[in-house]
């Protein structure tokens, strides 16, 4: 997530996180048939507003990678308050990953895990992804894509063998509405927890979802580093133990991509399955 910026003169003021009574307002969800990206649609909305689209033509992921958003999936962007304005919100992408993971587990998805920073996988196949962006001070947009009944691999053959969807794991398949409601409720609760206690209150929950330790390769802006990933720290930094046994900490923006190495063969998973586009 980008750092808060100084408001431009004339820019809309972010809405308060709470109303005058101190109560958190209910979500206001705008439903659209077709948009470019729900994150862009939500960019100017106040906190606790969300945009849910049936399809996106310009869905995007981290590092501007395209995100296939065909009909039958859940394409949602939810605006959350980032007050008090301090460093805790750098870990919002991790917290949002916990929200989606816990929601999908609660719905019964088996073998669900997080791949740093916030890819949701069943085994080695991606079922959901998140893109958290800050367009203006005081709020952030949490963009969530979940494959529900859609088949992204039918739109992009490079995804064959790399993706899965709720319909493969849940019978009956929950509706997009059901998943959205559960997700937004949990997101609101989790943002409240972060407002009260910072990311530290979530760190054990996120660290329980990595299926770690894992041998990984981090692609950095300049070079790459290999090591054992075990956990993130209370500030949300990735902790890597390198071959010398030295611990190194990485902020999310320092890492362009994380590749997992296969636990059995110790080769890079993406190299083993050439059809899979690297996704971090
Ligand atoms: C990733 O895995 O790289 C993140 C994918 C995030 C996709 C969602 S779909 C709803 C929202 N709108 C977007 O354009 N992206 C996010």
């Amino acid at each position: 997530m980008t750092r808060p910026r100084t408001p431009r003169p004339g820019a809309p003021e972010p809405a308060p996180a709470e109303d005058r009574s101190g109560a958190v307002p209910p979500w206001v969800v705008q439903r659209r048939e077709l948009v470019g990206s729900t994150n862009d649609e939500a960019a100017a909305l106040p906190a606790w507003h969300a945009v849910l689209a049936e399809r996106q033509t310009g869905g995007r992921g981290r590092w501007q990678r395209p995100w296939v958003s065909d009909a039958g999936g859940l394409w949602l962007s939810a605006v959350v308050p980032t007050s008090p304005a301090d460093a805790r919100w750098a870990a919002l992408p991790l917290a949002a990953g916990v929200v989606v993971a816990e929601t999908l587990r609660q719905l019964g998805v088996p073998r669900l895990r997080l791949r740093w920073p916030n890819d949701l996988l069943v085994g080695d196949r991606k079922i959901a992804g998140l893109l958290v962006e800050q367009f203006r001070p005081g709020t952030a947009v949490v963009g969530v894509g979940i494959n529900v009944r859609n088949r992204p691999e039918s739109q992009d053959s490079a995804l064959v063998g790399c993706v899965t969807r709720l319909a493969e794991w849940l019978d009956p398949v929950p509706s997009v509405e059901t998943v959205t409601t559960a997700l937004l409720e949990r997101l609101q609760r989790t943002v409240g927890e972060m407002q009260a206690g910072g990311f530290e209150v979530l760190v054990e929950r996120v660290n329980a979802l990595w299926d770690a330790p894992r041998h990984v390769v981090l692609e950095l802006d300049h070079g790459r580093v290999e090591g054992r990933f075990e956990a993130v720290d209370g500030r949300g930094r990735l902790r890597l133990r390198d071959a010398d046994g030295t611990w190194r900490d990485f902020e999310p923006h320092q890492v362009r991509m994380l590749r997992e190495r296969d636990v059995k063969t110790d080769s890079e998973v993406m190299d083993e399955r050439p059809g899979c586009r690297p996704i971090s």
Side-chain angles (χ1 to χ4, degrees):
M1 207 177 68
T2 53
R3 294 231 175 273
R5 292 176 296 235
T6 313
R8 281 174 283 110
E13 278 303 306
E18 299 170 353
D19 65 18
R20 286 201 187 90
S21 70
V24 181
W27 284 100
V28 176
V29 182
Q30 301 184 359
R31 289 171 177 76
R32 307 275 170 76
E33 238 171 74
L34 185 66
V35 297
S37 158
T38 51
N39 270 23
D40 294 336
E41 297 291 315
L45 296 179
W48 309 128
H49 283 58
V51 177
L52 178 69
E54 288 175 25
R55 284 186 296 133
Q56 300 184 109
T57 52
R60 61 174 181 271
R62 296 179 69 232
W63 304 104
Q64 299 296 329
R65 293 180 196 121
W67 177 260
V68 175
S69 313
D70 45 338
L74 182 154
W75 321 125
L76 175 74
S77 295
V79 187
V80 300
T82 51
S83 54
D86 61 23
R88 78 186 70 191
W89 302 104
L92 181 60
L94 296 174
V98 173
V99 168
V100 180
E102 291 181 346
T103 303
L104 297 185
R105 277 194 173 172
Q106 179 201 342
L107 289 166
V109 177
R111 294 170 48 222
L112 191 86
R113 70 177 177 100
L114 266 181
R115 178 175 57 196
W116 185 93
N118 52 19
D119 283 338
L120 280 296
L121 291 92
V122 179
D124 284 334
R125 291 179 184 225
K126 187 155 165 170
I127 197 162
L130 284 117
L131 177 65
V132 178
E133 294 182 292
Q134 182 156 41
F135 293 94
R136 56 201 186 98
T139 59
V141 174
V142 176
V144 184
I146 304 178
N147 299 321
V148 181
R149 290 178 180 272
N150 59 309
R151 296 175 187 271
E153 67 276 34
S154 68
Q155 310 292 311
D156 180 353
S157 59
L159 297 175
V160 172
C162 307
V163 288
T164 185
R165 57 199 186 116
L166 294 186
E168 281 185 50
W169 305 103
L170 302 177
D171 183 15
V173 187
S175 67
V176 166
E177 283 297 324
T178 300
V179 183
T180 301
T181 304
L183 203 60
L184 291 178
E185 268 175 28
R186 196 177 281 272
L187 180 60
Q188 195 166 61
R189 247 191 349 259
T190 304
V191 168
E193 287 171 326
M194 275 190 78
Q195 286 182 311
F199 177 69
E200 285 82 359
V201 299
L202 297 179
V203 74
E204 274 185 30
R205 272 152 69 192
V206 72
N207 282 334
L209 288 161
W210 303 123
D211 199 10
R214 273 177 188 268
H215 191 176
V216 299
V217 180
L218 305 184
E219 302 279 355
L220 310 174
D221 277 341
H222 304 287
R224 55 193 252 155
V225 52
E226 249 181 88
R228 210 170 125 99
F229 165 57
E230 288 181 14
V232 298
D233 69 8
R235 283 170 46 186
R237 292 175 307 184
L238 183 159
R239 307 216 67 209
L240 193 81
R241 198 179 165 91
D242 69 18
D244 304 336
T246 312
W247 285 103
R248 296 177 63 180
D249 297 332
F250 295 90
E251 304 279 349
H253 67 86
Q254 294 179 288
V255 181
R256 286 194 72 84
M257 192 186 299
L258 174 146
R259 292 173 193 264
E260 295 179 336
R261 293 183 73 94
D262 187 274
V263 274
K264 292 197 194 95
T265 62
D266 204 28
S267 57
E268 283 177 32
V269 168
M270 294 308 167
D271 293 347
E272 289 230 308
R273 296 181 299 137
C276 293
R277 203 170 33 218
I279 31 185
S280 73

